[in-house]
Amino acid sequence: MPDRPDRPEKQGGTSSRPRVRLDLPKAPRLSLLPEYDPEAFGRFSEKIARFLGTGRFIVWMTLVIIVWVLWNIFAPAHLRFDEYPFIFLTLMLSLQASYAAPLILLAQNRQDDRDRVNLEQDRKQNERSIADTEYLTREIAALRMGLGEVATRDWIRSEFQDLIKEMDERRLFPLESDEGDR
């Protein structure tokens, strides 16, 4: 019974391995990492990146740093938590920058992906527009060629005028002044 996936298949009396079925999906593996929704994380990172790029963030960051520095200079000694070289402030700013940079890059990558999709859609739309324009151009050219063989009102009028002149010259129709003399 070599067709059963739950039975190992022996190959020449050597080690036995379970037969891998390619028509079935793999069973999910146990993972030690937490599972997360990449789209939700991407949207969250875009919100943060959008906030980090605003004047409101700069104003709040500046106010926090000013309060931090003033508190650690002018507060009573037992209430100060970061003395003059402000090493803890530097650590906090470095921590903020170390998280902000990857989040901004992630948001930029997502925007690049959206731009690429939009560009591809625009390119396809342009191709369709060009094809439609070429089709309409061919149709108009065919109509013009067809109209070249059709009598237009101006052409008929000019033909009638030429015919009237020719008939006047031959005097097929008597002039009104000739009828009055008879």
Side-chain angles (χ1 to χ4, degrees):
M1 287 186 213
D3 290 343
R4 292 189 51 187
D6 56 339
R7 293 206 181 216
E9 187 175 282
K10 294 188 178 185
Q11 298 173 356
T14 60
S15 68
S16 63
R17 283 190 338 193
R19 184 173 182 181
V20 177
R21 295 274 314 252
L22 298 177
D23 60 336
L24 297 175
K26 282 187 174 182
R29 292 184 180 181
L30 180 62
S31 175
L32 298 176
L33 299 174
E35 291 187 24
Y36 66 95
D37 180 17
E39 282 299 311
F41 186 75
R43 287 189 300 271
F44 177 70
S45 68
E46 286 177 341
K47 287 179 184 178
I48 291 174
R50 201 169 290 123
F51 175 68
L52 291 176
T54 63
R56 177 181 291 168
F57 172 76
I58 300 296
V59 168
W60 279 108
M61 186 65 129
T62 304
L63 288 175
V64 166
I65 292 172
I66 288 171
V67 168
W68 185 299
V69 170
L70 291 177
W71 179 267
N72 286 297
I73 290 175
F74 297 115
H78 69 283
L79 294 177
R80 295 180 194 166
F81 56 89
D82 192 18
E83 293 296 326
Y84 166 65
F86 306 116
I87 295 173
F88 189 51
L89 175 63
T90 305
L91 176 67
M92 292 282 86
L93 291 174
S94 297
L95 182 65
Q96 181 266 332
S98 69
Y99 275 98
L103 289 175
I104 290 170
L105 289 174
L106 178 62
Q108 284 178 342
N109 288 341
R110 287 174 53 90
Q111 184 63 44
D112 287 344
D113 292 342
R114 280 193 300 273
D115 290 345
R116 191 174 305 112
V117 168
N118 287 339
L119 184 66
E120 182 65 23
Q121 289 174 348
D122 289 346
R123 187 186 63 76
K124 287 180 181 177
Q125 180 63 37
N126 287 342
E127 286 176 356
R128 284 191 298 268
S129 296
I130 288 171
D132 290 345
T133 303
E134 289 174 352
Y135 171 76
L136 291 174
T137 302
R138 286 191 301 272
E139 288 296 314
I140 290 172
L143 287 173
R144 283 186 178 169
M145 289 172 53
L147 283 177
E149 298 169 2
V150 174
T152 63
R153 182 175 49 184
D154 293 336
W155 181 80
I156 293 173
R157 185 177 291 140
S158 69
E159 289 296 314
F160 277 143
Q161 288 171 352
D162 290 344
L163 185 59
I164 291 171
K165 284 181 187 176
E166 186 178 327
M167 290 171 66
D168 281 344
E169 290 174 359
R170 292 185 182 178
R171 294 258 183 214
L172 294 176
F173 291 115
L175 294 174
E176 293 178 15
S177 60
D178 291 343
E179 289 180 10
D181 293 339
R182 292 185 194 174

